[in-house]
Amino acid sequence: MKLFLCLLIAALPAAAQPGPAVPRFVEETATAGVVARYTGGWEQMVGGGVATFDCNGDRRPDLAIAGGTSEATLWRNESRTGGQLGFARARAGIEMTGVSGLYPLDIDADGITDLVLLRVGEDVVLKGKGDCRFERANEAWHFDGGDLWSTAFSATWEAGADWPTLALGSYIDRTQDAFPWGSCTENRLFRPGADGGFASPLPLTPSYCALSMLFTDWNRSGQPALRVSNDREYYKGGQEQLWHIAPGQPPRLFTEAEGWQRLRVWGMGIASADLDFDGYPEYFLTSMADNKLQTLTEPGSPLPRYADVAFPRGAIAQRPYTGGDVRPSTAWHAQFEDVNNDGFSDLFIAKGNVSEMPDFAEADPNNLLLQRPDGTFAEAGDTAGIDSLLTARGAAVADFNLDGQMDLVVVNRNGPAQVWRNGGTGGHWITLALHQPGPNRDAIGAWVEVDMGDHIQRREVTSGGGHAGGSLGWLHFGLGTQDRARVRVIWPDGAASAWSELATDAFHDLERDAPARRFRP
C-alpha cells in the first residue's frame, strides 16, 4: 500500500502540486574568511569532508575541514547573530596532511567534543582540550589507527557501555600501482576495551570499499544496525550492506533470508530522515547517475525490505539541471534539513565529477531539493543560488549565525571551500540540543519528536553518514505557520520524556530529567 501511494504521487498533475518557498542563499565565501582547499590526486578523488561542532563553548558551529595533501584546518565561528558569516583560522592541533574526513564526537564524556580524523594512512583520534584545541589520543585510548585509506565513519553507544562503538570504513589498496579492482581493504569495528578506551578492532568482512556508514535504528527496535554504502567501481561481487551489531555478539550481516535485498550502486553518501511521518527513517543513497531514496515497504516488519521511490518523489537528481552539461551527475554528500522552515525536510546534494571521467558531467551543479507537502521534491538549486559548478565533495547544512535559518558550507576538490548564508523565508522554527549525564552526553541514538497537530516530525540523533564529515550539536526543525511547539525526547535507552510546550523561533537545551532551558544567542 505504501509503495502504491508513492507511485500514485507521480501521476498527479504538476499544477496540483504547490511550489515550496525558495530561500535565497547569499554566497559569502569572499567575506567569511574561510580559505581552505581539499587538494591532491588519485588518493584524494574521494573524501574532502567538513565537520561542524562547537569547539569553544559559544554554541556557534565551528568548522574543521579536510585538506588532503594540504593541512586540515579549523575555523572558529565569529559570525554575528543574524548577520554576515565570519570565521577565523585557529591553530588547533588538527593540522596534518592526509586527512580525508572528520567526525565530531564526545568520546570520553568530559563535555568537550573530540574529533576522529580519517586519513590516507594512520587514522587519528583527537581529544578535545577546550578553546578549539586538540591533542592526539591514539595511545591513551588504545586506538589502533592502522595504515589504510579510510573513507567512512559512524558511532553509537551499545547498551551499558561507557565508551562508544566506532565503525571505520576503508577504500581500496592504495599500494597497487594500477588496476586495483577487487582490492577493497578491511572495514573495522572498535568496541570499548576492558580497561578503558578501545579494544582491538574487529573486522567487518566482507568489505566492499565503503564510502559512507551510518548506525541507525531502521526498524525502531531500540537496537541500531550499521548501514554501509559501498563503491561498486572497485569491489568484485559486493553490494550495499546492513550489519547486526548486538551487544556482546560479533557483527553479523543481514541476509537475504532476513529480508535484505541485494543492491549495487556507486555508493558515496547516506542521508536519513522520516519524510512521510510514519516513525521510520527513509534513506537517500548518493551515487553516479543512480541515486536511491529508500522507504520501508512494510513499516513495523522485522524485515529490512525497501522500495526505491526516488523517481516518483522527484529526488533522483541524476543529471545537471543547469550549466549546459547533460551527461549523468556524480553525487557525494547528502543531507536532509528544512532550509525554508515550512515543516518538511529538504535535501541538499553536493555534486562533482570523480576525476575527469568522460562519461559523466564536468559542469555538475549542487542540488537543493525542496520538499512539497505531498512528499515530492522540486529542484531549487539555481533559484536559491547554490548551483556552484566547482567539483564538490563534502558539505554541511548548519545554522552558523544562529538566526534559525540553515546555512551551507561545501568543500571542493582542488578548489576553494564555499560558504553561503541563508536569507530565510519567514517560516517559524525551533532548534534543540540534547544533554544527558554520564557517557553519550549528546544522546546519540535518541529520537526527537515535534508535534505538528496532524502529524509528528521525528528525527534520529546519529553520528556518521554523509560523505567524509558530520555535525554535532543543534537540531533544527522548521514549523511553517505553527507558532507553538510541543516537543519530547525518546532517549537512547528508550525512556521518553514528557511532552513540553516550548517557545518557537528560539533555541532550547533539553537536559534529561530537567526542565528545558532557553538559550539566547
Side-chain angles (χ1 to χ4, degrees), residues 74-130:
L74 190 136
W75 301 87
R76 192 191 304 263
N77 190 344
E78 297 183 347
S79 305
R80 293 184 297 108
T81 303
Q84 285 191 326
L85 305 184
F87 296 85
R89 174 80 183 270
R91 300 297 296 185
I94 76 168
E95 295 80 16
M96 61 186 75
T97 60
V99 176
S100 59
L102 322 90
Y103 286 87
L105 188 71
D106 186 359
I107 294 173
D108 58 353
D110 65 353
I112 302 173
T113 301
D114 312 303
L115 273 177
V116 177
L117 302 189
L118 308 181
R119 299 182 67 240
V120 180
E122 182 194 31
D123 299 322
V124 177
V125 291
L126 296 174
K127 176 178 170 59
K129 302 292 289 180

Side-chain angles (χ1 to χ4, degrees), residues 194-231:
D195 55 350
F198 297 99
S200 297
L202 299 172
L204 289 170
T205 52
S207 297
Y208 297 132
C209 293
L211 287 179
S212 190
M213 291 177 155
L214 183 66
F215 279 108
T216 175
D217 189 2
W218 63 274
N219 61 353
R220 301 302 302 272
S221 66
Q223 178 59 60
L226 179 65
R227 282 200 72 131
V228 184
S229 197
N230 299 305
D231 183 2

Side-chain angles (χ1 to χ4, degrees), residues 296-362:
L296 275 173
T297 58
E298 303 172 36
S301 166
L303 303 178
R305 291 175 177 161
Y306 286 87
D308 177 21
V309 295
F311 183 77
R313 290 195 179 184
I316 194 165
Q318 79 275 32
R319 292 184 185 274
Y321 55 90
T322 189
D325 199 329
V326 298
R327 290 172 292 178
S329 283
T330 305
W332 299 90
H333 181 85
Q335 185 173 341
F336 287 107
E337 293 288 354
D338 189 352
V339 299
N340 57 3
N341 286 336
D342 63 356
F344 299 94
S345 294
D346 309 304
L347 177 60
F348 172 80
I349 310 171
K351 293 283 191 67
N353 194 290
V354 174
S355 185
E356 299 179 350
M357 296 185 71
D359 294 333
F360 293 86
E362 290 284 348

Side-chain angles (χ1 to χ4, degrees), residues 143-305:
F143 177 81
D144 178 4
D147 184 15
L148 298 168
W149 181 351
S150 294
T151 46
F153 173 85
S154 191
T156 189
W157 264 261
E158 297 186 66
D162 291 334
W163 282 68
T165 292
L166 312 180
L168 274 75
S170 64
Y171 204 46
I172 58 180
D173 183 354
R174 70 186 194 280
T175 65
Q176 296 197 19
D177 293 331
F179 305 112
W181 290 276
S183 70
C184 298
T185 49
E186 189 173 83
N187 301 331
R188 298 170 294 160
L189 186 75
F190 292 82
R191 280 177 154 158
D195 55 350
F198 297 99
S200 297
L202 299 172
L204 289 170
T205 52
S207 297
Y208 297 132
C209 293
L211 287 179
S212 190
M213 291 177 155
L214 183 66
F215 279 108
T216 175
D217 189 2
W218 63 274
N219 61 353
R220 301 302 302 272
S221 66
Q223 178 59 60
L226 179 65
R227 282 200 72 131
V228 184
S229 197
N230 299 305
D231 183 2
R232 75 179 186 188
E233 182 74 16
Y234 292 106
Y235 62 63
K236 290 183 178 179
Q239 58 171 304
E240 298 295 282
Q241 295 171 304
L242 185 68
W243 289 87
H244 293 275
I245 308 292
Q249 301 295 319
R252 178 176 64 85
L253 276 172
F254 277 81
T255 65
E256 292 184 14
E258 295 175 292
W260 184 247
Q261 298 150 296
R262 189 176 183 85
L263 175 64
R264 295 180 175 185
V265 294
W266 286 285
M268 297 173 176
I270 305 172
S272 66
D274 178 12
L275 299 178
D276 51 13
F277 312 116
D278 67 350
Y280 298 89
E282 276 70 45
Y283 298 96
F284 190 80
L285 310 177
T286 58
S287 181
M288 294 195 296
D290 191 21
N291 304 301
K292 304 293 186 183
L293 179 58
Q294 294 191 319
T295 186
L296 275 173
T297 58
E298 303 172 36
S301 166
L303 303 178
R305 291 175 177 161

Side-chain angles (χ1 to χ4, degrees), residues 7-24:
L7 295 174
L8 183 63
I9 289 172
L12 294 176
Q17 302 172 17
V22 179
R24 181 61 185 173

Side-chain angles (χ1 to χ4, degrees), residues 300-437:
S301 166
L303 303 178
R305 291 175 177 161
Y306 286 87
D308 177 21
V309 295
F311 183 77
R313 290 195 179 184
I316 194 165
Q318 79 275 32
R319 292 184 185 274
Y321 55 90
T322 189
D325 199 329
V326 298
R327 290 172 292 178
S329 283
T330 305
W332 299 90
H333 181 85
Q335 185 173 341
F336 287 107
E337 293 288 354
D338 189 352
V339 299
N340 57 3
N341 286 336
D342 63 356
F344 299 94
S345 294
D346 309 304
L347 177 60
F348 172 80
I349 310 171
K351 293 283 191 67
N353 194 290
V354 174
S355 185
E356 299 179 350
M357 296 185 71
D359 294 333
F360 293 86
E362 290 284 348
D364 202 0
N366 301 321
N367 294 97
L368 185 64
L369 298 172
L370 303 180
Q371 188 182 178
R372 302 182 180 100
D374 66 3
T376 63
F377 289 83
E379 180 61 64
D382 48 355
T383 53
I386 57 89
D387 53 333
S388 170
L389 297 179
L390 295 180
T391 306
R393 289 294 188 267
V397 185
D399 183 1
F400 293 121
N401 60 356
L402 299 188
D403 63 353
Q405 317 298 325
M406 301 301 282
D407 310 305
L408 175 65
V409 58
V410 175
V411 178
N412 297 299
R413 182 175 181 235
N414 293 321
Q418 294 173 282
V419 180
W420 286 266
R421 176 174 55 84
N422 185 348
T425 57
H428 291 294
W429 52 273
I430 191 167
T431 301
L432 310 169
L434 306 189
H435 313 280
Q436 64 177 4

